[in-house]
Amino acid sequence: MTLVNPAYLGREQTLVKHTVLRQYLTALALIVGRTFARDIVFVDCCSGPWETVTDDLSDSSVGIAIQQLRLARDMLNGEGRSVTFRCLFAEEKPSTFAQLKKFCDAVTDIEVEALPGDFTQHIPAIQRFVARRNKSFPFFFIDPTGWTPLQINPLTPLLRTDPGEVLINFMTSHIRRFLSAEGKDFDALLGQQPLDEIQKLSGQERDDAALFTYAGHVRQRGNFPYVCTTVVLNPERNESHFHLIYATRHHKGVEVFKQAERKAREVMTMARAEIKERKRIDCTQQRELFTVEEHGAAPDRQLVALCDRYQGRAKELVQEHLVRNRLRRVPYETVWQIACLFPLVWETDLRRWIREWKGNVTIVGMEPKQRVPKCDAGNVLIWNDQSQ
Ligand SMILES: C[S@@+](CC[C@H](N)C(=O)[O-])C[C@H]1O[C@@H](n2cnc3c(N)ncnc32)[C@H](O)[C@@H]1O
């Protein structure tokens, strides 16, 4: 028996990615549908279906998008809100596109279009699709098999779409493998100067530098105040398989994305523990005394180590920023924008650090009954200590 959805056995990394997408999509649609959007558009730039084993494609981003958007639509309809939902699914491989088209043709209750070809060659068509209705909110999901479609210049018009959000699969393991290879145009992904610096690094330092450099380009090109990254580990090895990069213009987006990341972390811990257990049983031919299914998974050491690493880096950067601006008013939003970039860093961590710096930091603008600083409340931090 397994707690992991059997459709994902052998590709548990996809389960983690789909957990983020599943959790996030409905929450996003509800937030924007309850506020300003009258039309919600999901654009899957690299749709597949890819390695699916289900007839209804419920183990693909395409199937998940339809399911989750239906949920949101029904809830919004139930509240008397009239919001339309549309999807654009792009796929470049002809045989896969044929499968995709068949799926799209069978969807009658949501406006769905399939777009054949390399999506980076169809950016104006994607923009026209989004602009067909007023008060639209597009969510772009960019999940290629390699790194070439992530070159920042062709993507820039999509990143600039405002309002709009983006979720990108940054294929860390793939990029790691080819980073030092001759003839690969990684400068188009990372920029020539950062690339020279990144190539001097190794291991986790190199992975992180490539990821955060690219996330910085996404932030800058799309003018996104908030960019978050999530680590998806190789199911069997203690290394990152890929990272998801999420960019939004609103702190509420970060809140729900971080909730999705928490859920994904649980799923990843469970899936990796089950694989380990299966391997042990295969080796020893003995059933475990305490199975993951019965007793839950122990904390995943690799994830715990990464959590310590990223929390340490985020805390350092926030403190550096406050100290550099000592005696000046730093909006709370600014420090959350610094910290939320890192995987496995939650807003409760940021608030804990601020409490730890109590002697040095004054919080201005809190309401009398407000217990913790928050975004959109005019809260400001001031680092007072002049000795540092
Ligand atoms: C990793 S799979 C996608 C998986 C799917 N998003 C999911 O989560 O179920 C990548 C798919 O994108 C397609 N693809 C890769 N590069 C593309 C591009 N530039 N434009 C359109 N499709 C692309 C591949 O043929 C493949 O089917």
Side-chain angles (χ1 to χ4, degrees):
M1 269 292 284
T2 168
L3 290 173
V4 168
N5 178 342
Y8 289 99
L9 287 178
R11 53 182 196 123
E12 287 80 0
Q13 69 279 9
T14 304
L15 171 64
V16 179
K17 172 178 73 181
H18 285 172
T19 301
V20 171
L21 188 65
R22 195 184 293 281
Q23 293 282 315
Y24 186 70
L25 257 189
T26 310
L28 160 82
L30 290 176
I31 290 172
V32 296
R34 282 174 182 152
T35 47
F36 61 91
R38 289 296 148 263
D39 178 54
I40 293 164
V41 187
F42 178 70
V43 181
D44 196 336
C45 297
C46 303
S47 296
W50 174 260
E51 296 180 345
T52 54
V53 296
T54 55
D55 293 336
D56 60 358
L57 301 189
S58 56
D59 57 340
S60 75
S61 57
V62 172
I64 290 168
I66 297 291
Q67 275 175 2
Q68 299 308 115
L69 294 180
R70 275 186 185 134
L71 255 179
R73 179 202 55 196
D74 293 348
M75 285 174 79
L76 290 172
N77 279 350
E79 294 165 13
R81 292 174 208 277
S82 145
V83 180
T84 51
F85 284 81
R86 296 184 292 137
C87 295
L88 182 62
F89 295 123
E91 170 57 45
E92 69 173 359
K93 199 171 161 205
S95 55
T96 310
F97 180 78
Q99 230 186 316
L100 174 69
K101 179 83 173 72
K102 195 168 153 218
F103 174 84
C104 291
D105 289 346
V107 176
T108 52
D109 60 335
I110 287 185
E111 208 178 307
V112 174
E113 261 182 47
L115 177 70
D118 173 356
F119 82 93
T120 61
Q121 303 298 313
H122 295 286
I123 301 287
I126 296 175
Q127 289 177 302
R128 280 196 299 278
F129 182 87
V130 170
R132 254 185 227 168
R133 297 241 169 92
N134 290 328
K135 295 195 179 169
S136 283
F137 188 93
F139 180 77
F140 300 102
F141 181 39
I142 306 176
D143 180 24
T145 20
W147 62 272
T148 322
L150 297 188
Q151 296 182 24
I152 202 75
N153 282 338
L155 288 194
T156 300
L158 296 188
L159 301 179
R160 290 215 174 116
T161 312
D162 185 4
E165 293 190 348
V166 61
L167 180 65
I168 297 174
N169 183 348
F170 186 76
M171 283 300 302
T172 319
S173 53
H174 194 88
I175 290 164
R176 183 191 304 133
R177 219 171 322 131
F178 289 109
L179 204 49
S180 34
E182 297 278 333
K184 293 280 171 195
D185 302 322
F186 272 108
D187 52 332
L189 188 76
L190 300 166
Q192 189 57 55
Q193 201 198 343
L195 179 61
D196 294 342
E197 295 304 313
I198 291 166
Q199 280 175 327
K200 290 181 198 151
L201 304 171
S202 60
Q204 188 67 49
E205 291 290 332
R206 186 190 258 205
D207 281 6
D208 285 351
L211 169 70
F212 295 131
T213 298
Y214 187 75
H217 294 325
V218 172
R219 183 196 296 278
Q220 189 257 330
R221 293 297 179 98
N223 201 13
F224 287 108
Y226 296 94
V227 177
C228 307
T229 58
T230 295
V231 60
V232 179
L233 294 178
N234 181 299
E236 304 194 31
R237 289 199 295 276
N238 282 338
E239 60 183 37
S240 312
H241 200 53
F242 53 79
H243 288 85
L244 298 173
I245 300 176
Y246 165 72
T248 178
R249 298 186 174 85
H250 204 281
H251 65 86
K252 199 80 194 141
V254 178
E255 191 183 317
V256 283
F257 185 77
K258 291 276 178 188
Q259 281 162 7
E261 186 189 0
R262 272 179 192 271
K263 180 72 192 159
R265 182 185 61 174
E266 277 170 33
V267 168
M268 181 161 39
T269 302
M270 186 65 73
R272 279 167 50 89
E274 281 199 352
I275 290 172
K276 245 191 219 160
E277 188 173 271
R278 274 202 300 276
K279 278 189 167 171
R280 262 197 308 261
I281 294 172
D282 283 351
C283 280
T284 60
Q285 299 295 316
Q286 280 178 357
R287 197 181 168 277
E288 297 279 298
L289 214 48
F290 300 106
T291 63
V292 174
E293 192 194 342
E294 287 159 19
H295 297 272
D300 187 308
R301 284 200 199 148
Q302 178 69 6
L303 275 178
V304 171
L306 284 177
C307 183
D308 287 349
R309 175 186 180 86
Y310 292 130
Q311 297 220 350
R313 282 202 61 187
K315 185 176 182 185
E316 222 172 77
L317 285 182
V318 169
Q319 184 168 1
E320 261 172 43
H321 185 86
L322 289 170
V323 170
R324 208 175 325 118
N325 290 283
R326 71 169 67 88
L327 300 181
R328 295 206 199 107
R329 298 160 70 89
V330 176
Y332 174 76
E333 287 82 351
T334 305
V335 290
W336 183 217
Q337 282 158 15
I338 294 171
C340 78
L341 171 68
F342 293 89
L344 307 165
V345 171
W346 322 116
E347 199 171 2
T348 47
D349 298 316
L350 173 62
R351 289 176 175 143
R352 190 181 67 248
W353 307 331
I354 293 172
R355 269 200 311 279
E356 286 170 16
W357 297 325
K358 201 165 59 199
N360 298 93
V361 168
T362 308
I363 311 173
V364 180
M366 299 267 281
E367 292 290 331
K369 283 194 176 155
Q370 193 184 332
R371 287 177 43 246
V372 291
K374 56 183 184 185
C375 292
D376 257 0
N379 294 166
V380 161
L381 308 181
I382 304 171
W383 190 275
N384 303 307
D385 180 4
Q386 296 185 45
S387 63
Q388 290 210 38

